[in-house]
Amino acid sequence: MSETRVLPPTPVRATGTSNEPALGPLGLCTLLLGAALPLIDFFIVNVALPTIDHDLAAGPALLELVIAGYGLSYAVLLVLGGRLGDMFGRRRLFLVGMAAFGLTSLACGLAPDAWTLVGARVAQGAAAALMLPQVLATIQSATAGPRRARAMSLYGATAGLSMVAGQILGGVLVAADIAGSGWRAVFLVNVPVVLIGLVLAARSIPDTRSAQPAPVDVAGTLLLTVALLTLLAPLTEGRAAGWPLWTWAALAVFPLAAVAFYRVERHADRQGRTPLVPPSLFGLLSLRRGLALVLPFSIGFGGFMFVIAVALQQGLGMGAIASGLALVPMAVAFFGASLAGPRLVVRYGTRIVTAGSVIQAAGIAILVLTVRRDWPDLGFLDLMPGVALAGFGQGLQLPVIFRLVLSDIPAERAGVGSGVMVTTQQSALALGVATLGSLFLSLAGSGGMRQALTVTLLVQLGMIALTALLSLRLPRTVS
């Protein structure tokens, strides 16, 4: 077997001194704000879909495109966004991405019809793909030691909390109907936040980049785009569109595109070039096994958040604000576990991930029993034990997994590594919405909401069991 060539580390230019981390507390807070916005906007739309449908007469297929259009453009461009940050400077790309995110959010909020909203959401996802990879890459290249460990834990906490907070915030904004804006407020709220973020970013984020940036891998970028589109597009749109011929043709193309992408990237890696996704990176045990956990965790998380929003609103008749507030215990528990995680990791290592999986599984099991027993009379207090336990278990897992994935990636490949991890997470979230969402909606049409929710939760329980088993193979310590 031939060896893959791993490029030697190269220095990273930053605005601080060469011996000290250049990222201060305000800069870290600003980066975490940038990390929160794209994830909040992936989920904030879930509770607004009924009002969007009512106002724009969108229909099921276009409603799914409102979610899928954002997720697809976001997922396929993330790795490229990380590469561009390595080349042109991560602060510059962060500022460009954040400004574009604000403008596209404004376009979403002002959209006069459903197709315009879909187009604006695609552009919003592309803007997010420019901004988000710079967060992790800057943390990796501008911090070290305990400060990096703390920053990565805070990033993981922010990512998980944002996914839950998105639906809570969406419910509050839709119900508040500020100045008659209705669902439009879930997008327009981004505009003032982005303006504040731009001012803070320009003053507090250090300018880092790879000292020897590689050119854009055009062939790899195109093949990765084809592979992700031919997998995610038919899975997200197939059910609503009635599984037409194009969905099956796309799924047939996916394995061919994936194999071609791997071969092109492996050839470039062996030639000493830097491909879009260097296969040599997967020689890092921490990255390889960490990504294996990101997949089932994120598929289950993405599916759960979509399904619970539909079940609470359409199945139980809850309003937008009530369905959002039902997840508050999950958010609070997640945040508490995330804060405790760094201290627990020092003592128990990656077994914290296994413990978190067990606790999350207990929470989902309680939810299954509660749904079976109390449907359709479920209320906030009935849901609280299950969602709180599930959130606490997730909070123990996600920050540690993120920290582990990036722990051994050299600084000069920080943009590439962060892009690979976030692409994996985002693609898995979209897969969760597509697969578990389609399963739930299909079962709801034939067997009712209670049966559909029960089965979907049991499938998620299987995903959690897989995560727990995979966690046993993790390195015991995290650097």
Side-chain angles (χ1 to χ4, degrees):
M1 182 181 296
S2 60
E3 294 184 356
T4 57
R5 179 180 175 185
V6 180
L7 298 179
T10 55
V12 176
R13 186 171 65 207
T15 56
T17 66
S18 59
N19 297 322
E20 295 294 332
L23 182 64
L26 181 60
L28 177 60
C29 290
T30 306
L31 287 173
L32 294 180
L33 174 65
L37 285 173
L39 290 169
I40 286 174
D41 268 62
F42 185 84
F43 290 96
I44 200 170
V45 180
N46 285 345
V47 293
L49 290 177
T51 54
I52 293 174
D53 188 21
H54 178 269
D55 288 356
L56 302 182
L62 280 180
L63 285 178
E64 289 201 13
L65 272 178
V66 169
I67 298 175
Y70 177 87
L72 286 171
S73 63
Y74 185 23
V76 301
L77 295 173
L78 276 164
V79 180
L80 179 61
R83 173 64 61 83
L84 292 174
D86 288 348
M87 293 176 63
F88 298 112
R90 294 164 189 140
R91 182 176 65 182
R92 178 182 298 176
L93 264 292
F94 182 86
L95 289 168
V96 170
M98 180 171 274
F101 191 84
L103 290 173
T104 52
S105 296
L106 181 63
C108 289
L110 300 179
D113 55 60
W115 277 110
T116 303
L117 178 59
V118 169
R121 283 284 282 173
V122 171
Q124 190 187 33
L130 287 179
M131 176 172 59
L132 188 60
Q134 319 315 326
V135 176
L136 283 170
T138 301
I139 290 173
Q140 281 293 102
S141 59
T143 61
R147 294 185 65 183
R148 178 182 294 175
R150 181 172 178 272
M152 287 302 305
S153 295
L154 287 172
Y155 174 86
T158 300
L161 196 59
S162 298
M163 291 186 271
V164 181
Q167 291 191 191
I168 298 172
L169 180 61
V172 171
L173 289 172
V174 170
D177 193 22
I178 302 168
S181 58
W183 59 268
R184 298 179 187 275
V186 304
F187 300 112
L188 296 177
V189 71
N190 292 331
V191 177
V193 176
V194 163
L195 290 174
I196 294 170
L198 288 171
V199 173
L200 294 176
R203 300 181 61 181
S204 63
I205 295 178
D207 186 16
T208 66
R209 70 185 74 197
S210 176
Q212 297 178 351
V216 172
D217 176 9
V218 176
T221 300
L222 291 176
L223 285 170
L224 179 62
T225 300
V226 172
L228 289 176
L229 283 176
T230 53
L231 174 65
L232 295 178
L235 289 179
T236 51
E237 282 297 297
R239 187 200 63 83
W243 296 104
L245 179 61
W246 73 263
T247 59
W248 299 108
L251 289 172
V253 170
F254 164 69
L256 302 177
V259 170
F261 171 70
Y262 172 74
R263 289 183 174 177
V264 166
E265 300 298 274
R266 184 180 61 179
H267 177 73
D269 213 11
R270 288 177 173 175
Q271 294 296 313
R273 304 193 302 272
T274 304
L276 187 70
V277 180
S280 58
L281 275 183
F282 293 88
L284 299 173
L285 183 67
S286 55
L287 180 135
R288 189 170 67 248
R289 293 188 176 176
L291 288 180
L293 267 74
V294 169
L295 281 170
F297 181 93
S298 298
I299 289 172
F301 202 132
F304 173 83
M305 297 302 291
F306 175 78
V307 165
I308 202 70
V310 176
L312 294 182
Q313 290 190 83
Q314 297 183 13
L316 297 180
M318 288 186 179
I321 191 167
S323 64
L325 292 178
L327 297 176
V328 166
M330 174 178 278
V332 173
F334 189 104
F335 186 65
S338 299
L339 293 180
R343 294 191 300 274
L344 294 173
V345 167
V346 171
R347 184 169 182 180
Y348 300 107
T350 56
R351 288 298 174 261
I352 291 299
V353 177
T354 309
S357 301
V358 173
I359 294 171
Q360 183 189 4
I364 297 299
I366 290 173
L367 274 179
V368 170
L369 295 175
T370 304
V371 169
R372 296 294 299 174
R373 184 190 65 214
D374 297 332
W375 189 276
D377 300 317
L378 284 172
F380 178 85
L381 293 178
D382 301 307
L383 293 168
M384 184 169 65
V387 297
L389 261 184
F392 189 84
Q394 290 166 336
L396 290 178
Q397 296 172 74
L398 195 60
V400 180
I401 294 173
F402 281 173
R403 180 177 160 188
L404 179 73
V405 169
L406 298 176
S407 60
D408 295 326
I409 292 177
E412 79 280 1
R413 287 189 169 184
V416 177
S418 63
V420 169
M421 190 190 76
V422 180
T423 298
T424 303
Q425 181 203 18
Q426 183 60 36
S427 300
L429 288 172
L431 271 176
V433 173
T435 54
L436 296 186
S438 294
L439 172 66
F440 171 80
L441 293 172
S442 298
L443 292 174
S446 58
M449 284 279 183
R450 184 180 78 160
Q451 181 68 15
L453 182 57
T454 301
V455 172
T456 307
L457 289 173
L458 289 174
V459 172
Q460 189 193 3
L461 204 55
M463 294 286 183
I464 298 169
L466 177 59
T467 304
L469 290 173
L470 290 172
S471 71
L472 297 176
R473 302 181 68 243
L474 292 176
R476 289 300 298 269
T477 59
V478 185
S479 59

